[in-house]
Amino acid sequence: MKLEHFTEEEMRLIAYYCGDEAKVLTEVENHCYVFDLKGKYLYNECFEKANSDYYANKRYNMVRPIKIFEFAKYYVMKCEEYDILWFKGRLDANGNYEFDTNSDELVYLLESF
């Protein structure tokens, strides 16, 4: 799936907080899932099997990413379904992306690094 370009303001923020270490992705091949208490999928349907009931019972929704960048083994994404939010997550061993932290402002997620 092809992704949109970041705006100049978004790129300025990414450069300020991440320096040259951020890598903007231009496409995503695997699925992206966001944590949602009423999500359609259970953790083990989306990611490597969890040994803990706590993780196995977490719920997720599959989303279509608009923008993603990688920094310090984390990924920051904006998606179509929750277009007012930015998500922070990770790449699972099975190749899917898990996003379980969100903010309405990109800068707040960047400050969490």
Side-chain angles (χ1 to χ4, degrees):
M1 171 180 291
K2 294 275 186 196
L3 303 174
E4 294 179 10
H5 296 285
F6 285 85
T7 66
E8 284 184 37
E9 175 65 13
E10 291 164 348
M11 289 304 298
R12 188 187 65 73
L13 286 170
I14 293 167
Y16 178 80
Y17 285 96
C18 305
D20 295 336
E21 302 295 317
K23 177 184 174 191
V24 173
L25 303 183
T26 57
E27 62 183 334
V28 173
E29 294 182 17
N30 293 341
H31 299 293
C32 295
Y33 294 93
V34 296
F35 174 70
D36 187 323
L37 293 174
K38 297 179 181 179
K40 181 178 176 181
Y41 302 97
L42 290 170
Y43 183 93
N44 288 345
E45 296 175 286
C46 308
F47 312 111
E48 288 271 319
K49 301 291 184 223
N51 295 328
S52 161
D53 286 345
Y54 170 78
Y55 287 105
N57 290 318
K58 287 175 71 175
R59 302 195 76 77
Y60 291 81
N61 281 326
M62 186 186 304
V63 297
R64 291 178 300 274
I66 298 171
K67 304 173 183 184
I68 298 181
F69 74 90
E70 177 185 4
F71 177 69
K73 296 188 180 182
Y74 289 98
Y75 293 82
V76 175
M77 171 195 69
K78 188 166 211 161
C79 66
E80 291 181 19
E81 293 80 359
Y82 303 90
D83 65 345
I84 62 168
L85 297 174
W86 288 90
F87 293 88
K88 181 178 169 184
R90 67 181 187 89
L91 180 62
D92 190 68
N94 73 355
N96 289 333
Y97 296 86
E98 175 191 11
F99 295 93
D100 59 1
T101 305
N102 68 64
S103 173
D104 59 348
E105 295 288 336
L106 174 59
V107 68
Y108 298 138
L109 285 181
L110 292 169
E111 287 175 346
S112 72
F113 289 114

